[in-house]
Amino acid sequence: MFLLAMRSVRQRPGRFLATLLSAFLGAAVVMTFQSMQDTAGQAGIDASSAETLRTAASVVGGYGTLLVFFAVASTLTVAVRQRSRELELLRCSGATPGQLGRMVVGEAVAVALAGSVLAIGPAMLGGRALLGVFHDSGQVARPVGFVFGPVAPAGGMAVTLLAAAGAALLAVRRVTRGTRRRPRARRFLAYAALAVGAAGAASTFGLSAADEALMAPPAYGAILLSVGFALLSPRLLAGVLDRLPVGGASGWLAVRNLRERVDQLAGILVPLILFTAVSTATLTMQAVESAAVRDSGLVKSVDAKNLETLNLTVVGIIAVFVCVMLVNSLYAATTYRAGEFGRQRLAGATPGQVLGVVGVEAVLLTLTGVFFGTVAALAGVVPFTAVRGDAVLPDAFLGVWLAMTAVSAAVTLGTSLGTARRVLRVPAVGAVARAA
């Protein structure tokens, strides 16, 4: 099966480009921040600089690990689902589920290994640039030089390979099991995340404005709430579609298509919800904190500068990965519908009408993801602002929210419509014949 996996990668490399890109970006991010561990471990470095570097490596490295798994998992899930006919044919030819799993995992690991190797060079450049930022802000002493030692490549490769193997195994098990699912475990995890997130956000009222860890409870509360909403995304989307009045032929057909593909579209709602919640909550709370420090006339401490740098870096990483996840998922999902678009055109629909349906679907997905992401963000922002400042909702919230919503809408609409337009260039008869 391993040899079959290698032949599959060599014969159809284009199929694995999305996985390669996710693995490459994930390994580059993890290696970049793990190189701060190598830099902090060199001889002669002062304690304050070493603490700053290790904090950046541990905090952002942890976020990076989770994002690598989500990005690779979403990409592989869509890719494996599109190969369901191929996998079913192999099963009919005598392959066992275990053999299919080893084949898909072997493909994923091979692609992830290639992405990890390619990421070493960019990670070294990124590590130098990151250390330069710490130098310029005074968080790390100037004499501290950059070191790219064994921790960075080992950590990046280990995280990327494990994420690829685990995500591939989960994806192939979903396909081979067919309709047998375990919704109870998913619902339990979702409700647990919502309960813990709400408790974390509410615990902010028990702290004072002078507490150094004031931002932690609402931030983690918003993150956990967004995770809970993301796990419940199929049910949330179904509930929105049942209550959303959409008129016109394109709107009716878009709602009908979304209802038929609720479970498949969860991979698109997850990054939308997480991105809106985490980026909006983090940037807004950081703006409130910076304004409070500026109004008090105090100078930011090294710890405050570290926190601000980490917050902005985490949001930047999330923005990059959410774009990758959305583009990969939307591109694969729209390309997979070439046969459906062909049948609609043979039934009398014009290319403009098909694009209209795809556009309405993208708008509905964006609105759903942004709405629940905003709810999670507000659950963290409101308690933090009430304790740290004088207002319930800060002035910075609207600007940050509009910017994050614009990014989500641009990526979702741009990818969906651009891919659909490309798919529609294929003659309707040829598209239906390929899908048959």
Side-chain angles (χ1 to χ4, degrees):
M1 278 296 171
F2 181 77
L3 294 177
L4 181 60
M6 296 303 99
R7 291 174 181 173
S8 178
V9 174
R10 287 197 302 268
Q11 293 296 326
R12 287 165 288 186
R15 173 191 292 173
F16 301 96
L17 284 179
T19 305
L20 178 65
L21 179 60
S22 299
F24 169 78
L25 291 174
V29 169
V30 175
M31 289 182 189
T32 295
F33 284 92
Q34 288 303 315
S35 66
M36 298 298 100
Q37 291 280 15
D38 293 316
T39 304
Q42 62 182 302
I45 188 172
D46 60 283
S48 177
S49 298
E51 182 180 359
T52 298
L53 295 172
R54 290 196 175 98
T55 301
S58 59
V59 175
V60 182
Y63 276 107
T65 301
L66 292 175
L67 290 170
V68 169
F69 181 81
F70 275 118
V72 176
S74 64
T75 303
L76 285 174
T77 299
V78 176
V80 172
R81 184 182 293 121
Q82 290 182 338
R83 299 172 61 188
S84 57
R85 292 184 179 179
E86 174 188 339
L87 297 177
E88 186 63 28
L89 179 61
L90 289 174
R91 289 187 64 183
C92 294
S93 301
T96 64
Q99 290 174 326
L100 295 179
R102 288 192 293 272
M103 183 190 73
V104 175
V105 170
E107 294 172 354
V109 169
V111 175
L113 180 60
S116 300
V117 173
L118 293 174
I120 293 177
M124 295 178 68
L125 298 176
R128 290 184 183 277
L130 180 61
L131 183 61
V133 172
F134 286 134
H135 283 160
D136 295 338
S137 62
Q139 298 165 257
V140 175
R142 287 284 181 182
V144 176
F146 176 70
V147 176
F148 192 86
V151 175
M157 287 187 178
V159 168
T160 307
L161 294 179
L162 288 176
L169 186 60
L170 290 175
V172 74
R173 287 183 66 184
R174 289 178 182 176
V175 174
T176 54
R177 286 184 175 184
T179 59
R180 291 179 294 173
R181 299 172 182 170
R182 297 182 179 180
R184 293 184 179 179
R186 186 186 183 100
R187 285 201 299 268
F188 174 79
L189 292 176
Y191 293 141
L194 292 175
V196 177
S203 67
T204 309
F205 293 105
L207 302 176
S208 66
D211 287 331
E212 295 182 357
L214 178 62
M215 194 181 296
Y220 285 118
I223 293 173
L224 288 175
L225 285 171
S226 65
V227 170
F229 288 142
L231 291 174
L232 292 174
S233 54
R235 300 182 65 184
L236 295 177
L237 179 59
V240 169
L241 294 176
D242 291 338
R243 295 168 176 80
L244 192 64
V246 179
S250 296
W252 180 85
L253 186 57
V255 171
R256 185 178 181 86
N257 289 338
L258 291 175
R259 284 174 178 167
E260 293 294 329
R261 300 185 294 117
V262 163
D263 292 333
Q264 299 177 9
L265 295 173
I268 298 172
L269 281 179
V270 167
L272 276 173
I273 295 174
L274 292 176
F275 172 70
T276 304
V278 176
S279 58
T280 303
T282 304
L283 292 179
T284 302
M285 287 188 285
Q286 184 58 59
V288 172
E289 177 65 23
S290 299
V293 173
R294 183 176 58 253
D295 294 340
S296 65
L298 300 176
V299 179
K300 286 186 178 181
S301 63
V302 174
D303 291 338
K305 290 181 179 179
N306 288 343
L307 181 60
E308 183 177 2
T309 302
L310 292 176
N311 285 337
L312 296 177
T313 304
V314 167
V315 172
I317 293 173
I318 292 174
V320 172
F321 270 96
V322 75
C323 289
V324 173
M325 293 170 67
L326 277 175
V327 170
N328 287 343
S329 300
L330 287 169
Y331 179 83
T334 307
T335 305
Y336 189 64
R337 300 173 65 186
E340 173 190 339
F341 294 160
R343 288 189 291 271
Q344 291 176 358
R345 292 159 63 190
L346 291 177
T350 64
Q353 290 174 326
V354 175
L355 286 176
V357 173
V358 174
V360 173
E361 293 176 3
V363 169
L364 293 178
L365 287 175
T366 303
L367 291 176
T368 304
V370 168
F371 174 78
F372 289 103
T374 303
V375 172
L378 287 173
V381 169
V382 171
F384 177 81
T385 307
V387 176
R388 191 69 174 94
D390 298 329
V392 176
L393 195 63
D395 297 334
F397 175 80
L398 181 59
V400 173
W401 180 82
L402 287 175
M404 299 304 104
T405 302
V407 172
S408 301
V411 174
T412 306
L413 286 169
T415 305
S416 298
L417 294 176
T419 306
R421 187 181 299 274
R422 180 180 178 183
V423 171
L424 290 174
R425 293 176 183 174
V426 180
V429 177
V432 174
R434 289 183 184 179

